[in-house]
Amino acid sequence: MFRAPMAYAGDLSQAEFDELLDRRGGPAVVVHGGAGTRVDADPTPYFEGTRRAAEAGLRVLLGGGSALDAAQAAAIVLEDDPHFNAGTGAALTSNGDVELDASCMDGTTLRAGAVACVKNLKNPILAARRVCDDTPHVLMCGPGAEAFARESGIAEIPNSALITPRQRARWQELHEQAQREGADSVRRKLGTIGAVAVDGRGHVAAATSTGGTMYKRPGRVGDTPIIGAGTYADDHEAAASSTGLGEAILKVSMARAACVRVRDGASPRSAAVAAVGLLRERAQGEGGIIIAGPDGRLGWAYNTPRMSRAVIRAGMNSAKAAV
Ligand code: GLY
């Protein structure tokens, strides 16, 4: 049986990661695979998935794509990876189906787009991007968002195709518990994916996507599609993507709270620590955040046992990951 090391586990030491995050100059990409990463699971798929996502984002930047294109490309890799709670592999609602939320934001123009409670999209981040680019709106939800995605040519898939055997088995356990002890007794496990990117000219962007908390009530929406809570980006501040308990993150508008600290002079690394501290102190919340500043400095922090994450900068052959 796999025994996960309880200590910090990563491609680099803590000090080496800190040095990498504190370097200035883009292009660079940071991704997270959620602050609910299990301590009892083999971390290998989380390392591999987050590395692949960060590398996909950097390829876009090096090919001349925007920071928003890069964050989106990284998010798609994680939505398609069944180990993460977003897109394929998302957590199930108490009804036993999947409801997805996603958002993105461009720091140069403050354009933002989000979808909530969509059930038939393989990559909800693509629908969020279409809301961002093609409509005067910021947030669309439910059947209206799905109809808009269809009009935009985004492929639909059956809800059942998003459900993995692992999530079905978890749902079964939680369902049995809910039947014995009541639905509100079920501890809402966490999971989200996100990406932040900065290009070589100081433009930043963020993208975030989730299936939400496990065994959530149908129609429940957390922080992920809410601009300022789950996602934020402003070239005059920073870009941030949150993960953790949405009900708490919403109360402190965590992504914007972190970006404002960078605007006011904090490094992205210390802004991330402060934002997660705010989450804990003011909302008793568990979670984490990743940040990219316009000067290329990066940050991450979390107050859960593990948050899978990876970082890559121009000039590196491969992303460096940790859980
Ligand atoms: N952070 C994701 C959620 O609470 O839905």
Side-chain angles (χ1 to χ4, degrees):
M1 183 187 152
F2 174 78
R3 284 189 199 284
M6 291 309 292
Y8 177 87
D11 288 332
L12 301 176
S13 69
Q14 178 96 48
E16 288 168 330
F17 269 121
D18 288 351
E19 187 278 323
L20 184 57
L21 295 171
D22 285 344
R23 271 186 222 162
R24 289 174 195 262
V29 178
V30 184
V31 304
H32 70 73
T37 305
R38 290 170 50 181
V39 293
D40 59 345
D42 179 355
T44 308
Y46 303 105
F47 277 105
E48 289 176 357
T50 54
R51 280 192 207 110
R52 275 192 303 114
E55 288 163 8
L58 185 68
R59 270 197 302 278
V60 169
L61 288 174
L62 296 179
S66 68
L68 186 56
D69 292 336
Q72 174 184 303
I76 287 173
V77 170
L78 294 168
E79 284 184 337
D80 286 344
D81 187 325
H83 294 94
F84 298 96
N85 177 8
T88 305
L92 308 191
T93 70
S94 58
N95 274 353
D97 60 3
V98 164
E99 291 183 357
L100 304 172
D101 305 329
S103 66
C104 62
M105 187 163 184
D106 170 56
T108 305
T109 59
L110 300 194
R111 282 184 300 117
V115 293
C117 276
V118 292
K119 291 181 168 221
N120 62 1
L121 303 180
K122 180 167 166 283
N123 295 110
I125 197 66
L126 288 177
R129 179 68 187 272
R130 296 273 56 84
V131 174
C132 175
D133 285 3
D134 303 343
T135 79
H137 310 309
V138 171
L139 172 59
M140 297 183 70
C141 70
E146 288 167 352
F148 168 70
R150 204 175 306 126
E151 273 170 41
S152 303
I154 295 172
E156 291 177 291
I157 56 168
N159 195 267
S160 58
L162 297 165
I163 299 175
T164 57
R166 188 174 68 127
Q167 290 292 4
R168 176 59 71 195
R170 285 185 180 174
W171 179 88
Q172 192 60 44
E173 280 168 30
L174 295 177
H175 189 59
E176 283 163 20
Q177 183 189 342
Q179 292 198 313
R180 279 192 317 272
E181 300 163 28
D184 289 336
S185 73
V186 173
R187 188 168 183 282
R188 313 279 175 211
K189 292 204 181 119
L190 313 169
T192 304
I193 66 90
V196 293
V198 53
D199 71 11
R201 292 171 298 155
H203 302 310
V204 296
T208 313
S209 182
T210 192
T213 47
M214 278 181 205
Y215 212 75
K216 66 185 180 183
R217 284 178 189 270
R220 174 268 186 194
V221 175
D223 60 297
T224 297
I226 305 301
I227 298 304
T231 298
Y232 198 72
D234 182 346
D235 288 358
H236 298 279
E237 299 181 358
S241 170
S242 306
T243 167
L245 186 63
E247 283 73 6
I249 294 169
L250 283 163
K251 290 173 189 166
V252 296
S253 301
M254 185 161 76
R256 182 81 203 285
C259 292
V260 164
R261 281 168 168 76
V262 177
R263 180 197 67 194
D264 292 346
S267 70
R269 204 152 58 79
S270 58
V273 171
V276 168
L278 178 73
L279 179 70
R280 167 74 77 197
E281 284 152 28
R282 295 294 293 135
Q284 294 74 54
E286 293 190 324
I289 196 163
I290 53 173
I291 306 181
D295 65 1
R297 287 182 297 167
L298 310 167
W300 59 38
Y302 54 101
N303 63 14
T304 55
R306 289 180 186 272
M307 178 175 84
S308 60
R309 58 206 190 274
V311 54
I312 190 164
R313 290 186 172 283
M316 290 168 61
N317 291 329
S318 59
K320 300 298 177 192
V323 295

